[in-house]
Amino acid sequence: MRISRFLLATLKENPADAEVISHQLMLRAGMIRRLAAGLYTWLPLGLRVLRKVENIVRDEMNKSGAQEILMPAVQPAELWQQSGRWDQYGPELLRFKDRHDREFCYGPTHEEIITNLIRNEIRSYKQLPVNLYQIQTKFRDEIRPRFGIMRGREFLMKDSYSFHLEQSSLDETYELMYETYTKIFNRLGLKFRAVLADNGNIGGSRSHEFHVLAESGEDAIAYSTTGDYAANVEVAGDVKVGDPSPDGKSVLDIARGIEVGHIFQLGDKYAKAMGASVLDEAGKSTTLIMGCYGIGVSRLVAATIEQNHDKNGIIWPEAIAPFSVALLPMNMHKSQRLRDAAEDLYNKLQAAGIDVLFDDRKERPGVMFANAELMGIPHRIVIGDRGLDKSEVEYKGRLDEKSQNIPIDKIIEFIVG
Ligand code: ATP
Ligand code: MG
């Protein structure tokens, strides 16, 4: 991508209304723009990251054997009345009527819709277990949307739902989702912790949340300093630092976390209320049991920035960087030889399948460096007339203290590693 053709939307000043660093940097780097409270447009730079996160989530979900579907965002009230949640769910549920005066809501989650699908499509125990997921826009009319897309009203979620005849099968899929989430968050390079959690609005019996550890996190997590015990303080109760850990090993410490994933065992709550059953091996009608598994895909983008930034900007992990390489020619407009060499390297980087941002503006070097750092691009290649005399470019990794000279014909190999 040439910067001259790119919707670059970097800001020099720190936006006054952004409280946390990820929100500040997403605005400053030109990743998002606010439309109204909790509603954001993803600009090209931001969307590149969001799509990469989404694809890692999709890849690991597919590897787990789950199948992707896409359900409507708009849901009929009737199904929510069947589950009993139409009256239970508070003002977070955005309700409205269509032209025929029928009631609908914009989905904050999809238990009712999937249970309706399954009760219509699955007839026999032989079709079980099944795990279906989607990556889709949710709406929750949050009382306090804040921190940019971290707590938006509209946000992107991966939600999956599994159906089973037996508890042992649900346990297996729950475990598999736990492992899949661990793989996803590892691929994103996050420091995270799985904790025992409350089932909240969704209901059911057993649940774990996955938290990215960060000072700006809205949740408090109590964890054993040496054992495995970790719980959201919501379920851990009235605990403080130094209390004995419930697992009998060591004492508790408390850290702050950003909830990026949540897995639940729902039992028969929805299947019973909505009549989702199949014939078991003996031909007897049996109510299904269910698990559900969410990941805050858009929230993950902000959570990653909370853990990966410095005074100059974002530091993207390679796996989700909007561009892998920033190619910065120094005063290209003054030298045809330099322009030719830069264009040539740009083409070669692209041919090698590398996402490269080519700064072809007539800009001062300082501005180019600052923009590339703010946007968090992992690799920087500076190409100048002096280096060209020796057939070299100057390379610097986003976290490197110093740059180094690399022969121009070795630079791609060097970056790809
Ligand atoms: P929270 O406690 O943060 O309000 P939740 O427990 O209500 O979240 P879940 O129903 O568990 O959320 O939804 C699954 C995931 O969706 C969450 O783990 C979180 O990562 C993400 N998520 C939930 N609400 C929002 C929001 N308002 N903005 C962005 N992501 C969200
Ligand atoms: Mg949750």
Side-chain angles (χ1 to χ4, degrees), residues 180-385:
T180 299
Y181 279 31
T182 302
K183 284 183 190 153
I184 290 169
F185 302 137
N186 278 333
R187 275 179 71 175
L188 295 172
L190 294 165
K191 293 185 261 314
F192 66 96
R193 185 113 198 199
V195 308
L196 293 168
D198 185 39
N199 284 48
N201 259 335
I202 314 269
S205 54
R206 178 176 162 77
S207 94
H208 283 90
E209 288 167 354
F210 290 77
H211 284 266
V212 163
L213 304 174
E215 272 312 309
S216 56
E218 290 183 288
D219 287 82
I221 295 159
Y223 64 97
S224 156
T225 49
T226 56
D228 289 336
Y229 178 84
N232 193 313
V233 165
E234 285 167 15
V235 290
D238 192 13
V239 293
K240 52 187 193 306
V241 176
D243 281 355
S245 167
D247 62 5
K249 294 173 197 154
S250 80
V251 291
L252 292 176
D253 205 345
I254 293 181
R256 307 229 40 107
I258 301 166
E259 183 191 322
V260 291
H262 198 164
I263 58 178
F264 304 78
Q265 291 201 6
L266 300 171
D268 65 3
K269 173 175 167 170
Y270 294 91
K272 199 167 162 189
M274 297 179 66
S277 56
V278 296
L279 299 179
D280 68 9
E281 216 164 343
K284 188 168 139 272
S285 174
T286 311
T287 301
L288 296 178
I289 53 174
M290 178 177 175
C292 78
Y293 320 92
I295 289 186
V297 176
S298 46
R299 181 179 284 181
L300 270 170
V301 175
T304 305
I305 298 174
E306 289 293 323
Q307 279 190 349
N308 298 279
H309 61 86
D310 63 12
K311 64 178 193 331
N312 297 328
I314 304 167
I315 304 168
W316 288 116
E318 187 82 50
I320 57 169
F323 295 99
S324 176
V325 172
L327 177 60
L328 313 181
M330 299 292 104
N331 299 312
M332 181 167 77
H333 53 285
K334 288 184 188 156
S335 161
Q336 187 61 39
R337 175 181 72 145
L338 178 56
R339 175 177 290 278
D340 292 344
E343 291 281 348
D344 184 55
L345 183 53
Y346 175 53
N347 289 333
K348 285 182 173 145
L349 284 159
Q350 283 189 308
I354 294 170
D355 275 339
V356 49
L357 186 63
F358 180 24
D359 201 335
D360 58 347
R361 296 174 294 175
K362 202 169 165 181
E363 260 304 352
R364 284 182 295 116
V367 172
M368 291 186 181
F369 292 170
N371 283 168
E373 292 197 324
L374 178 58
M375 290 188 273
I377 303 176
H379 308 282
R380 181 179 94 187
I381 301 172
V382 173
I383 179 165
D385 261 315

